[in-house]
């Protein structure tokens, strides 16, 4: 019997040691995942608030515009991402609650068995002694050796009962702790469910507004087509100007001194090392027009070709150089407003749709130097056009800018 008690003691000690270790590793992994999701949630909430500020500027004009639609699309995308993150957190909590319930169930069974065994010990002790005292049990020994054996037996039996009682106490505490964890997880999950419902309602309202806005813009097809043709003409003029700059720069590099060539090569190398990590040209905003061929946001079967990206931002936002270099062009192009071109060795960065210019041709600029302010059109849209070239090759700026 004492051997069985010791075996059970080892079993319960093993259970109570292995459960916290097991759930610590599970919780650590889950916490890491939840931490990442929490970071995503904060980023999406920032994007939603940012889009809301930009949307409020265009909405002040009281008429449907592409700028409103772009800001609304950004807000909808961010909110959909937020809802997905919340859903992932809820699923993680579901798994944690299931794991905790398994532990609770196991501990409940163990506690029942421990109490039954403890009751059996007390009953067996009473039955063996038949109500006699421990002293009578000792002094009824037939010789001294038997007395010592009975004394040792009583000590071991007393230790076994004490250990059984301690195990009951430990398991009871662990059971209560695990039950508290389950309740805490359920409360956390309920908060997330409530947040998910709120965000889903907001998303539904935004999508309704989006549909209404598209319907309004569709009625302005003639105006949109005219704006698109004006933009294409402005793009042609800017491309012609950039082609001339590239040609001039190539001519200059052919006659450059060894020191100048080495300096340009070094700057090219430094610029290339910043791929995917260039500072943004504006402090806030989102990509409102992607690089390359893109479907028109309203006009069906119409393709828009973007030589760079459009970054919709807030009114009067400062425009900054994304990297150190030399200003090779400042000018004005109808449909593009003020334009600044900066050379970074073999690379060029182009900043169009500026309200004003704060730099001069030939000036050396550093990363984050303010080169002007973004232009806001009559519809309240503040959209910077940003391009990146290597030689004559147009590059996707999103592959160069830091993740935002």
């Amino acid at each position: 019997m004492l051997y069985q008690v010791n075996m059970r003691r080892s079993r319960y000690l093993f259970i109570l040691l292995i459960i916290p270790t097991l759930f610590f590793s599970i919780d650590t992994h889950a916490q890491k995942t939840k931490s990442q999701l929490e970071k995503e949630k904060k980023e999406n909430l920032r994007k939603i608030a940012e889009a809301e500020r930009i949307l409020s500027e265009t909405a002040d004009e009281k008429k449907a515009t592409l700028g409103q639609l772009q800001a609304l699309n950004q807000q909808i995308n961010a909110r959909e991402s937020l809802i997905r993150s919340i859903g992932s957190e809820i699923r993680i909590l579901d798994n944690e609650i299931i794991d905790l319930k398994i532990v609770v169930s196991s501990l409940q069974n163990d506690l029942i068995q421990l109490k039954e065994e403890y009751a059996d010990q007390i009953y067996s002790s009473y039955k063996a002694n038949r109500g006699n005292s421990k002293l009578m049990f000792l002094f009824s020994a037939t010789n001294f050796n038997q007395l010592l054996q009975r004394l040792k037996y009583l000590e071991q039996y007393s230790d076994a009962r004490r250990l059984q009682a301690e195990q009951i106490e430990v398991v009871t505490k662990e059971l209560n702790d695990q039950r508290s964890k389950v309740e805490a997880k359920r409360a956390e999950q309920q908060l997330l469910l409530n947040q998910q419902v709120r965000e889903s309602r907001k998303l539904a309202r935004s999508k309704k507004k989006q549909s209404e806005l598209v319907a309004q813009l569709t009625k302005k097809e003639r105006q949109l087509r005219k704006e698109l043709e004006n933009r294409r003409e402005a793009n042609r003029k800017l491309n012609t100007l950039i082609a001339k700059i590239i040609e001039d720069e190539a001519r200059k590099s052919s006659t450059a001194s060894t020191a100048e060539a080495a300096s340009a090569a070094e700057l090219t190398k430094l610029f290339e090392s910043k791929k995917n990590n260039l500072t943004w040209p504006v402090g806030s905003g989102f990509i409102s027009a992607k690089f390359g061929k893109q479907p028109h946001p309203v006009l069906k079967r119409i393709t828009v070709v973007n030589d760079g990206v459009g970054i919709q931002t807030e009114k009067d936002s400062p425009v900054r150089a994304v990297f150190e270099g030399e200003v090779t062009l400042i000018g004005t192009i109808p449909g593009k407003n003020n334009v600044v071109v900066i050379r970074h060795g073999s690379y060029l960065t182009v900043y169009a749709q500026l309200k004003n210019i704060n730099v001069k041709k030939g000036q050396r600029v550093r990363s984050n130097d303010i080169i002007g302010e973004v232009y806001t059109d009559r519809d309240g849209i503040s959209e910077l056009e940003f391009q990146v070239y290597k030689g004559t090759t147009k590059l996707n700026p999103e592959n160069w800018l830091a993740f935002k």
Side-chain angles (χ1 to χ4, degrees):
M1 179 178 170
L2 291 177
Y3 172 76
Q4 291 176 339
V5 169
N6 287 331
M7 286 298 291
R8 292 185 194 115
R9 178 194 177 200
S10 299
R11 172 174 169 265
Y12 290 119
L13 285 174
F14 173 77
I15 290 172
L16 292 173
L17 285 171
I18 197 66
I19 286 174
T21 305
L22 173 64
F23 279 87
F24 174 78
S25 62
I26 292 173
D27 281 343
T28 301
H29 175 71
Q31 285 297 328
K32 181 181 179 182
T33 307
K34 280 158 60 176
S35 174
Q36 292 171 340
L37 290 171
E38 191 62 34
K39 186 177 178 181
E40 286 179 17
K41 279 170 58 181
K42 287 180 180 178
E43 178 61 18
N44 284 317
L45 286 169
R46 183 194 66 77
K47 288 179 179 179
I48 290 169
E50 185 177 70
E52 183 62 33
R53 291 194 303 273
I54 294 170
L55 185 60
S56 67
E57 290 182 358
T58 57
D60 285 344
E61 300 299 318
K62 308 299 182 187
K63 59 182 177 180
T65 64
L66 285 176
Q68 286 181 19
L69 182 60
Q70 289 162 348
L72 193 57
N73 289 343
Q74 168 71 0
Q75 195 177 60
I76 286 171
N77 291 338
R79 184 157 274 129
E80 286 176 337
S81 181
L82 174 62
I83 291 170
R84 286 194 296 271
S85 295
I86 294 171
S88 297
E89 279 196 84
I90 290 170
R91 286 191 292 274
I92 288 172
L93 284 169
D94 274 337
N95 292 332
E96 290 179 355
I97 289 171
I98 290 169
D99 291 337
L100 286 168
K101 283 182 176 179
I102 292 171
V103 175
V104 167
S105 177
S106 177
L107 289 169
Q108 283 174 332
N109 292 335
D110 290 342
L111 188 59
I112 290 169
Q113 189 172 348
L114 281 168
K115 287 181 177 179
E116 288 175 352
E117 291 170 353
Y118 188 63
D120 288 344
Q121 285 183 19
I122 294 173
Y123 178 73
S124 298
S125 175
Y126 175 79
K127 188 176 179 181
N129 294 329
R130 298 182 183 279
N132 295 326
S133 68
K134 292 181 181 179
L135 287 175
M136 289 182 63
F137 174 67
L138 289 172
F139 290 126
S140 62
T142 56
N143 55 54
F144 184 72
N145 285 336
Q146 191 180 56
L147 174 67
L148 290 177
Q149 288 177 352
R150 289 188 176 188
L151 182 62
K152 187 175 181 181
Y153 170 81
L154 287 175
E155 287 175 352
Q156 291 177 341
Y157 194 80
S158 176
D159 286 344
R161 285 179 58 179
R162 177 178 56 78
L163 289 172
Q164 195 81 351
E166 288 175 357
Q167 288 168 19
I168 289 172
E169 184 179 351
V170 169
V171 173
T172 301
K173 183 179 182 304
E174 184 66 24
L175 178 59
N176 290 334
D177 288 346
Q178 296 299 328
R179 282 173 174 165
S180 296
K181 286 182 180 180
V182 170
E183 293 306 314
K185 297 290 182 186
R186 281 176 175 162
E188 185 181 352
Q189 188 181 54
Q190 189 58 52
L191 288 174
L192 286 171
L193 286 167
N194 293 340
Q195 185 183 7
Q196 189 179 48
V197 169
R198 289 195 302 271
E199 294 299 331
S200 295
R201 287 173 180 167
K202 290 177 183 177
L203 178 63
R205 289 196 294 270
S206 294
K207 286 192 171 182
K208 182 183 177 183
K209 188 175 179 181
Q210 181 190 48
S211 298
E212 292 170 352
L213 198 54
V214 170
Q216 292 176 48
L217 287 167
T218 303
K219 294 177 183 178
K220 301 163 69 174
E221 181 175 347
R222 183 178 295 179
Q223 180 185 333
L224 291 175
R225 286 181 180 275
K226 184 179 178 182
E227 289 175 356
L228 184 58
E229 184 53 41
N230 290 339
R231 182 168 181 171
R232 285 171 176 166
E233 180 59 27
N235 285 342
R236 282 192 286 270
K237 289 179 180 177
L238 180 59
N239 287 337
T240 300
L241 193 59
I242 291 172
K244 186 176 183 307
I245 293 171
I246 293 170
E247 185 181 337
D248 291 343
E249 291 296 329
R251 190 164 49 250
K252 286 179 185 178
S253 63
S254 64
T255 59
S257 66
T258 304
E260 288 173 335
S263 177
E266 180 63 23
L267 194 56
T268 298
K269 186 177 179 181
L270 287 171
F271 188 88
E272 288 174 340
S273 71
K274 298 292 286 186
K275 190 172 183 179
N276 296 315
N277 204 31
L278 284 177
T279 183
W280 273 57
V282 286
S284 65
F286 59 90
I287 301 294
S288 49
K290 288 186 171 292
F291 175 79
K293 290 184 178 180
Q294 304 294 331
H296 192 278
V298 176
L299 301 174
K300 294 180 179 179
R301 296 181 295 278
I302 297 296
T303 300
V304 179
V305 179
N306 297 319
D307 296 327
V309 293
I311 303 175
Q312 200 166 328
T313 184
E314 297 175 65
K315 187 177 180 180
D316 297 330
S317 290
V319 178
R320 302 173 184 275
V322 298
F323 195 69
E324 64 178 286
E326 180 184 341
V327 177
T328 60
L329 171 75
I330 57 171
T332 303
I333 297 176
K336 296 293 181 182
N337 297 287
N338 292 311
V339 178
V340 173
V341 179
I342 301 176
R343 181 171 60 84
H344 318 274
S346 299
Y347 290 85
L348 294 176
T349 53
V350 182
Y351 312 76
Q353 299 291 4
L354 301 181
K355 179 172 71 175
N356 51 43
I357 297 175
N358 295 349
V359 291
K360 296 178 180 179
K361 185 177 179 180
Q363 180 179 334
R364 297 289 299 183
V365 293
R366 294 171 300 178
S367 217
N368 282 316
D369 279 355
I370 296 175
I371 61 174
E373 285 183 357
V374 70
Y375 170 77
T376 301
D377 67 16
R378 63 180 181 274
D379 293 328
I381 302 170
S382 306
E383 185 179 55
L384 173 73
E385 188 173 334
F386 177 67
Q387 301 178 12
V388 179
Y389 282 78
K390 182 178 184 182
T392 58
T393 305
K394 299 167 186 175
L395 305 176
N396 184 353
E398 284 195 76
N399 295 334
W400 290 84
L401 295 173
F403 176 76
K404 188 174 184 292

